[in-house]
């Protein structure tokens, strides 16, 4: 792309879809700081200020430091329904401000016993917050001009953690079924496999759950896939592909055999997260050698640029598009084609696909 082409493509103004964003990891440091100030003033927390715990500009969390950040810090700060609502609203506003018009947020249902919140109430709180936000957008957009890129619509994916016991995993699937298709708009649309790739995958525990999930009509399936060498054995990748997922996240440590299998499936969604992979040291050689470069031209796959954890890695989706332009030289037309192609693999249904095609087909 030439400098002049670059100048006319404003990545924030470009309507975008985001399919791989973890709710807790998408909360900005500023938002966590606001929560901390409130809780500190009320004598409700002994935690350190998030701006000290996670200094601005620090983005090099690797697999050893990333997961403890959640288990020992963020989850202890976001520990009741009002905070869950507050942080979810902030996440939705941040994505909307970055030009995202369709968002699939994912989260592992988390009971908050001290606050009297069950796993089901956790999911309900998030769905209520999404509904509240969309209502708020509806109100404010009445006065705005026609022809704006479109409002943000959000769907929810429930995650099963690699470390889950069978009972926990079955509960997540039960919640997905309970909330699937409930109401006209704000629904759970998919199920995910997430968690620390260093944790062994208990195939006997999880296979029956994902095989059952595959049989639930209307429920999409996405899996964190080959994130690290330790989670990329032939046995694991064959098992995961055997669950017949619709989309795969990361897809880093795949050899030619598995790559070919993905291609042969045809139309598989690949959620690729450049900044996360580079900052966390999951890929070597920097942005230029990221596997986005290998996949984006493959017709048989659908690459969707995603952020993973923008609160931690600090790169909003608009910046991910700027990065692929910078490092892989995509033209404006190629960027627009990339965004549009992603619509094919959303879990939000045909009506939503039609709305997005309407928005994204207007240059
Ligand atoms: Zn992820």
């Amino acid at each position: 792309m030439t400098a002049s082409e670059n100048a006319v493509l404003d990545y924030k103004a470009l309507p975008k879809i985001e399919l791989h964003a973890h709710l807790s990891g998408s909360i900005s440091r500023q938002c966590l700081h606001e929560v901390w100030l409130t809780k500190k003033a009320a004598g409700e927390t002994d935690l350190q200020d998030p701006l000290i715990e996670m200094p601005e500009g620090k983005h090099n969390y690797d697999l050893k430091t990333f997961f403890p950040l959640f288990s020992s810090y963020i989850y202890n700060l976001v520990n009741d329904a009002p905070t869950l609502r507050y942080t979810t609203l902030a996440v939705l506003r941040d994505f909307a401000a970055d030009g995202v018009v369709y968002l699939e947020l994912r989260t592992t249902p988390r009971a908050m016993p001290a606050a009297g919140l069950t796993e089901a109430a956790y999911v309900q709180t998030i769905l209520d917050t999404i509904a509240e936000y969309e209502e708020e957008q509806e109100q404010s957009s009445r006065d705005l001009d026609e022809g704006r890129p479109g409002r943000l619509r959000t769907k929810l994916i429930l995650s099963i953690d690699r470390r889950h016991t069978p009972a926990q995993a079955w509960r997540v699937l039960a919640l997905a079924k309970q909330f699937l298709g409930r109401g006209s708009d704000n629904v759970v649309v998919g199920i995910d496999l997430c968690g620390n790739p260093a944790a062994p995958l208990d195939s006997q525990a999880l296979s029956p759950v994902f095989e059952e999930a595959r049989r639930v009509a209307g429920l999409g399936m996405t899996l964190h896939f080959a994130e690290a060498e330790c989670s990329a054995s032939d046995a694991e990748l064959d098992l995961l592909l055997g669950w017949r997922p619709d989309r795969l996240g990361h897809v880093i440590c795949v050899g030619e055999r598995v790559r070919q299998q993905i291609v042969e499936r045809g139309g598989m969604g690949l959620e690729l997260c450049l900044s996360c992979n580079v900052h966390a040291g999951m890929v070597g050689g920097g942005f230029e050698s990221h596997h986005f470069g290998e996949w984006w031209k493959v017709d048989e796959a659908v690459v969707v640029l995603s952020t993973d954890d923008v609160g931690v890695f600090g790169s909003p989706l608009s910046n991910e598009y700027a990065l692929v332009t910078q490092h892989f030289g995509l033209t404006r037309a190629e960027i627009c084609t990339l965004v549009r192609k992603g619509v094919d693999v959303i879990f939000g249904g045909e009506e939503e696909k039609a709305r997005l095609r309407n928005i994204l087909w207007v240059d």
Side-chain angles (χ1 to χ4, degrees):
M1 177 177 275
T2 65
S4 62
E5 276 178 311
N6 219 348
V8 296
L9 187 53
D10 175 348
Y11 301 100
K12 266 195 184 183
L14 179 76
K16 296 173 289 296
I17 65 173
E18 162 72 73
L19 303 186
H20 189 132
H22 297 266
L23 172 60
S24 300
S26 297
I27 307 168
S28 72
R29 289 156 207 229
Q30 184 56 38
C31 176
L32 290 173
H33 177 66
E34 289 161 14
V35 167
W36 179 81
L37 284 175
T38 305
K39 285 187 181 275
K40 192 77 183 165
E44 291 173 4
T45 187
D46 295 327
L47 291 169
Q48 186 161 235
D49 185 341
L51 297 181
I52 295 172
E53 186 71 28
M54 306 165 63
E56 289 288 356
K58 176 177 166 54
H59 301 129
N60 60 338
Y61 290 89
D62 61 17
L63 291 178
K64 285 202 174 66
T65 54
F66 177 81
F67 290 97
L69 180 66
F70 290 87
S71 55
S72 62
Y73 190 80
I74 295 175
Y75 292 164
N76 292 326
L77 197 57
V78 183
N79 63 354
D80 54 36
T83 312
L84 181 60
R85 173 186 167 274
Y86 185 83
T87 52
T88 301
L89 275 176
V91 166
L92 299 177
R93 289 187 187 121
D94 286 349
F95 276 110
D98 193 44
V100 174
V101 291
Y102 177 82
L103 168 65
E104 289 179 11
L105 269 184
R106 61 185 71 189
T107 192
T108 309
R110 187 159 57 91
M112 299 173 176
L117 212 66
T118 61
E119 289 170 349
Y122 174 90
V123 176
Q124 185 67 62
T125 301
I126 295 168
L127 293 178
D128 289 348
T129 306
I130 292 170
E132 180 188 341
Y133 177 75
E134 293 191 353
E135 177 63 26
E136 184 184 296
Q137 267 193 318
E138 190 81 36
Q139 303 267 355
S140 64
S141 69
R142 282 192 191 126
D143 301 328
L144 295 175
D145 296 335
E146 287 289 318
R148 271 168 49 86
R151 294 193 297 271
L152 172 67
R153 293 261 173 83
T154 304
K155 306 291 180 187
L156 197 62
I157 294 171
L158 299 185
S159 297
I160 290 174
D161 193 293
R162 296 168 68 88
R163 294 159 297 182
H164 271 171
T165 62
Q168 286 173 306
W170 281 114
R171 282 208 307 276
V172 175
L173 179 59
L175 286 170
K177 286 179 178 171
Q178 181 185 337
F179 289 102
L180 180 72
R182 184 191 265 198
S184 57
D185 274 328
N186 301 314
V187 293
V188 170
V189 292
I191 202 139
D192 166 44
L193 175 73
C194 74
N196 190 340
L201 186 72
D202 184 346
S203 60
Q204 287 196 325
L206 297 185
S207 273
V209 183
F210 280 91
E211 283 160 9
E212 169 65 16
R214 185 69 293 173
R215 289 190 280 271
V216 178
L219 189 68
M221 187 195 297
T222 178
L223 307 172
H224 282 68
F225 189 85
E227 257 185 290
E229 289 292 350
C230 56
S231 66
S233 66
D234 281 350
E236 172 161 336
L237 300 189
D238 287 346
L239 179 82
L240 299 192
L241 288 175
W243 296 346
R244 293 190 291 123
D246 304 289
R247 302 199 313 245
L248 301 173
H250 295 298
V251 198
I252 298 170
C253 304
V254 295
E256 188 49 36
R257 183 185 69 87
V258 172
R259 187 183 180 283
Q260 200 52 41
Q261 278 186 308
I262 293 170
V263 168
E264 282 166 15
R265 292 281 169 115
M268 182 88 91
L270 304 181
E271 306 151 359
L272 302 188
C273 312
L274 275 76
S275 292
C276 153
N277 295 168
V278 171
H279 291 315
M282 296 153 75
V283 294
F287 288 105
E288 290 81 4
S289 51
H290 192 275
H291 48 292
F292 172 85
E294 295 165 31
W295 280 109
W296 77 273
K297 284 182 179 167
V298 175
D299 286 338
E300 294 85 354
V302 182
V303 168
V304 183
L305 280 180
S306 299
T307 55
D308 210 6
D309 297 283
V310 61
V312 179
F313 298 110
S315 174
L317 192 57
S318 57
N319 191 55
E320 296 296 292
Y321 279 90
L323 285 170
V324 298
T325 306
Q326 182 187 342
H327 295 285
F328 300 98
L330 276 73
T331 64
R332 184 182 198 283
E334 285 167 337
I335 289 281
C336 293
T337 303
L338 189 70
V339 179
R340 289 165 185 157
K341 203 174 163 192
V343 175
D344 292 344
V345 296
I346 70 164
F347 293 158
E350 292 308 314
E351 201 177 308
E352 187 55 35
K353 285 181 182 174
R355 182 187 78 96
L356 290 172
R357 289 190 177 117
N358 205 25
I359 295 168
L360 302 179
W361 256 242
V362 180
D363 262 338

